[in-house]
Amino acid sequence: MQSISGNVPGNVTDFNRFMMLKKIIFCAFLLFGQNFLLFSQVKISFFTGNIQASKSPLEHLFLAGDFNGWNPADKGWELVKNEGGNYALSKELPAGIIHFKITRGSWNTVECDATGKSIDNRSLVIKGDTNVKLDIAGWQDSFAPAEKKHTATARVHIINENFEMPQLGRERRVWIYLPAGYDTGSKKYPVIYMHDGQNLFDEYTSSYGEWGIDELMDKMPEQEESIIVGIDHGGDYRLTEYNPYDSKYGKGRGDDYVQFLVKTLKPYIDAHYRTESDATHTTIAGSSMGGLISMYALLKYPEVFGNAGVFSPAFWNAPQLFDLAKQVKISTKSRFYFVCGDAESDTMVPDMQKMADLVKSRGIKPENAPVTVIKGASHNEKQWNGDWPGFYKWLIGF
């Protein structure tokens, strides 16, 4: 009988089991190592370099970014003056992408360029321990406010500066874009309801630039036109009005806000304007928190909204939304358009892809839940202006 020599446990069967166990232990160790790297914190040391003099003494400097809700006076993100006269702050953060600006305690005292023009958000790709030098070219309050001009086209109108929102106990400005020839024809039009109304049509009312929806829609041929309704956000209420769930920003009023759209605003629009009022021709769209609440509105009221434009959705502020998408009955006729940039945050693309995959697993056809990721694009109105043509081309395919 042939024997097996060498350091072999018991028999061949035991040996195979032994080798399989080694493979399992190795794979588990490898997976643990990957997760450790993924969730481990790295040390980031911020320090100031050249700082342009300000109108008032530099008593406090803060970082405001997507890591602290863009709070311009967050004590947890204050840079402290050291013996060398510079300001410094050390933080432990997970690997990924962060966006931020430097302020002296308010958005009126935010950094700008040397001529007083606003600057893009700073971006930092975090891979490991690093030092970040912060040169500041100017402060916004050192310059006269830039003259802002009205840029809304003739087809944009304000329905009411103080439209009542009984579900919220508040009032809000509401805009409407009417297609060319609306006043002289009898045609009915699809309607798109959009959030952050002050940023849609007019540079004068926008905070960080406008989407330019009216200029984009003015280029549409007559047979492809739509009515656009814009609802202003509520300023300090924005983060809670656009979130149906409680968060660190306060009690979620998102369901009340969506009920306002469904039970108050849409009936008003349908009664006063020539609309195709069925769900197939009714769309809800928005960006960031507006993308989040648009997703919620379609999941909750598929009989009202048939389509959703989900631009750069802030799903991280409402993880419960994924559970809702698993639980509710999703109409097979519902359509979702997902779009974002790959330079917005570390979680933006995977979160958006996760939601798209989820609704497809619930029966939505791939062509009714496309995902578009724009290489190098950031989280701002300029990006969403560029995203609009692709979204609208997809939308009018219904």
Side-chain angles (χ1 to χ4, degrees):
M1 178 180 295
Q2 184 178 4
S3 63
I4 299 176
S5 62
N7 187 18
V8 179
N11 53 47
V12 174
T13 301
D14 290 340
F15 175 74
N16 290 338
R17 288 174 179 167
F18 174 72
M19 294 303 294
M20 181 62 69
L21 180 61
K22 287 181 65 178
K23 290 181 180 179
I24 292 173
I25 294 173
F26 175 77
C27 291
F29 179 79
L30 181 63
L31 181 62
F32 171 79
Q34 289 175 334
N35 286 334
F36 177 79
L37 291 174
L38 179 64
F39 295 106
S40 63
Q41 303 278 304
V42 297
K43 185 176 181 181
I44 310 298
S45 297
F46 301 92
F47 63 96
T48 57
N50 297 321
I51 305 179
Q52 179 63 36
S54 63
K55 294 177 65 175
S56 58
L58 286 176
E59 296 179 358
H60 303 281
L61 292 184
F62 303 89
L63 300 186
D66 47 18
F67 41 75
N68 65 351
W70 294 95
N71 183 343
D74 187 345
K75 286 290 185 180
W77 286 86
E78 181 175 2
L79 292 97
V80 178
K81 193 173 185 178
N82 57 31
E83 295 180 355
N86 293 323
Y87 295 78
L89 172 68
S90 292
K91 282 286 186 179
E92 289 191 348
L93 297 171
I97 305 171
I98 63 171
H99 302 89
F100 64 97
K101 284 184 176 178
I102 305 166
T103 83
R104 300 200 326 276
S106 74
W107 289 114
N108 292 327
T109 58
V110 69
E111 62 175 324
C112 62
D113 71 11
T115 67
K117 293 181 180 179
S118 61
I119 59 175
D120 291 338
N121 296 330
R122 294 174 183 256
S123 296
L124 176 63
V125 179
I126 300 173
K127 296 181 178 179
D129 294 356
T130 187
N131 297 323
V132 181
K133 183 181 178 182
L134 304 171
D135 291 321
I136 304 169
W139 300 104
Q140 200 66 71
D141 61 326
S142 297
F143 300 86
E147 182 181 357
K148 299 182 73 173
K149 299 178 181 179
H150 287 289
T151 59
T153 68
R155 300 183 194 179
V156 176
H157 310 277
I158 293 176
I159 295 176
N160 195 327
E161 289 279 358
N162 304 104
F163 199 103
E164 290 190 12
M165 309 172 80
Q167 292 79 3
L168 289 161
R170 296 166 185 161
E171 297 177 342
R172 203 63 47 79
R173 179 172 51 195
V174 177
W175 310 66
I176 193 165
Y177 171 93
L178 297 174
Y182 177 89
D183 293 334
T184 57
S186 58
K187 178 182 176 180
K188 292 185 177 182
Y189 296 90
V191 183
I192 305 174
Y193 292 87
M194 298 188 68
H195 322 290
D196 295 314
Q198 56 266 70
N199 297 333
L200 299 178
F201 309 110
D202 197 350
E203 179 187 332
Y204 189 84
T205 60
S206 67
S207 301
Y208 304 104
E210 57 156 321
W211 283 49
I213 295 295
D214 45 342
E215 287 86 358
L216 292 169
M217 293 302 296
D218 282 352
K219 300 174 183 177
M220 291 294 112
E222 183 177 350
Q223 67 273 19
E224 297 178 3
E225 293 180 317
S226 296
I227 291 173
I228 314 287
V229 177
I231 308 96
D232 277 13
H233 67 67
D236 292 341
Y237 297 124
R238 182 177 183 271
L239 291 174
T240 52
E241 283 188 358
Y242 290 175
N243 194 339
Y245 308 103
D246 297 348
S247 70
K248 63 182 180 181
Y249 302 109
K251 181 176 176 56
R253 301 294 305 274
D255 192 65
D256 296 326
Y257 171 72
V258 173
Q259 286 192 42
F260 157 70
L261 300 179
V262 171
K263 298 179 179 180
T264 302
L265 183 59
K266 185 178 187 297
Y268 177 91
I269 297 298
D270 290 338
H272 290 80
Y273 298 91
R274 296 194 310 276
T275 67
E276 294 189 85
S277 59
D278 60 299
T280 300
H281 295 91
T282 304
T283 301
I284 188 163
S287 61
S288 192
M289 291 298 293
L292 186 161
I293 200 64
S294 295
M295 186 75 203
Y296 174 81
L298 181 47
L299 291 174
K300 196 72 181 289
Y301 297 97
E303 73 283 3
V304 178
F305 304 107
N307 319 282
V310 186
F311 294 74
S312 304
F315 288 147
W316 61 86
N317 278 330
Q320 304 94 322
L321 200 57
F322 292 100
D323 294 327
L324 181 68
K326 296 175 184 176
Q327 297 163 1
V328 299
K329 182 179 180 180
I330 300 179
S331 170
T332 55
K333 296 181 180 179
S334 294
R335 303 170 74 228
F336 308 82
Y337 186 91
F338 298 95
V339 60
C340 73
D342 68 356
E344 297 194 45
S345 74
D346 200 41
T347 60
M348 176 64 75
V349 174
D351 277 356
M352 194 179 73
Q353 185 66 61
K354 177 182 176 181
M355 184 63 80
D357 291 343
L358 203 164
V359 297
K360 290 174 188 175
S361 74
R362 300 295 312 281
I364 300 300
K365 296 179 180 179
E367 62 267 27
N368 288 337
V371 174
T372 300
V373 178
I374 309 299
K375 187 173 180 57
S378 297
H379 197 80
N380 53 46
E381 280 70 18
K382 180 180 179 181
Q383 173 196 328
W384 302 320
N385 171 276
D387 294 339
W388 180 266
F391 159 70
Y392 195 72
K393 182 179 179 181
W394 167 87
L395 179 64
I396 61 177
F398 55 63

